[in-house]
Amino acid sequence: AVLALSAPAVQGQVYGWGRCPNVPVATNFQVDRWVGTWFEIARTQNKMEENMDCGTDTMKMEEGNVLKRCRFIRDGIAIELDPLRIPNTVASPEEPAKFSVPYFSSSFLPDLPFWILEVDHDPQTGYYVGFTCRDIRVGNMQLLWVMSREHQMDEGKLKGILGRLEGHGIDTSKLEYPRQDGTCPALP
């Protein structure tokens, strides 16, 4: 999933009234077990990821930081974005699943929160739910990603995840489900 935002790219995100929902984060999150390749199963509609399919994120540890490489197919062309360096520091040591992420490499814009709401660290069938929310004036803007170690996710597992998210006040009605199947070519 592309973890980047910009002023013209905010079309399609979920907007809510009031402050960002106070949602619990994964208590079992371990950054060293988060590394590896993840396949995008679902995401909030957003301009940056329009017409993207076959998305993967590959995380690895480098010099004490998480280096995230995003790859996808857009209009039949394989694309790899510049790596995103996520400092291996968290917003709250009591909640290691809450990161403050520099989505823009050289920008006046502030870091944004990136929270791991759920994670299953199983190396074959695991998944994680990534969430970004920013308070804006009288409301908030939310982005959500469901990522899996597999190209496909069991429908019952996905419905369970979405039900828990809705129970925490996160609107999942604007999620889209990009193509992520055996027809996806190997990405660079």
Side-chain angles (χ1 to χ4, degrees), residues 58-179:
T58 301
M59 270 61 123
K60 71 177 189 173
M61 294 300 294
E62 186 176 281
E63 299 176 5
N65 298 301
V66 176
L67 188 66
K68 180 176 183 174
R69 294 191 180 277
C70 302
R71 298 174 175 102
F72 56 90
I73 302 295
R74 176 180 271 157
D75 300 324
I77 299 169
I79 297 172
E80 180 174 344
L81 298 179
D82 290 338
L84 176 65
R85 186 170 305 280
I86 303 172
N88 194 12
T89 57
V90 294
S92 167
E94 296 82 33
E95 294 181 296
K98 288 186 175 183
F99 292 87
S100 182
V101 178
Y103 286 99
F104 306 95
S105 57
S106 59
S107 173
F108 62 91
L109 296 171
D111 290 357
L112 294 174
F114 182 71
W115 296 359
I116 306 297
L117 302 185
E118 291 189 21
V119 65
D120 174 344
H121 288 294
D122 186 290
Q124 276 77 48
T125 62
Y127 71 91
Y128 81 86
V129 177
F131 180 67
T132 293
C133 189
R134 173 60 97 196
D135 292 326
I136 49 173
R137 300 183 191 235
V138 297
N140 66 71
M141 180 199 68
Q142 302 174 28
L143 291 167
L144 180 76
W145 297 268
V146 178
M147 307 293 287
S148 174
R149 293 285 189 193
E150 303 177 284
H151 287 275
Q152 304 280 315
M153 181 178 278
D154 174 76
E155 188 175 331
K157 181 190 282 189
L158 182 59
K159 283 184 179 181
I161 292 167
L162 299 180
R164 288 187 297 276
L165 294 170
E166 287 282 345
H168 292 300
I170 296 174
D171 182 359
T172 63
S173 68
K174 294 216 174 15
L175 288 180
E176 58 187 11
Y177 303 87
R179 182 170 57 93

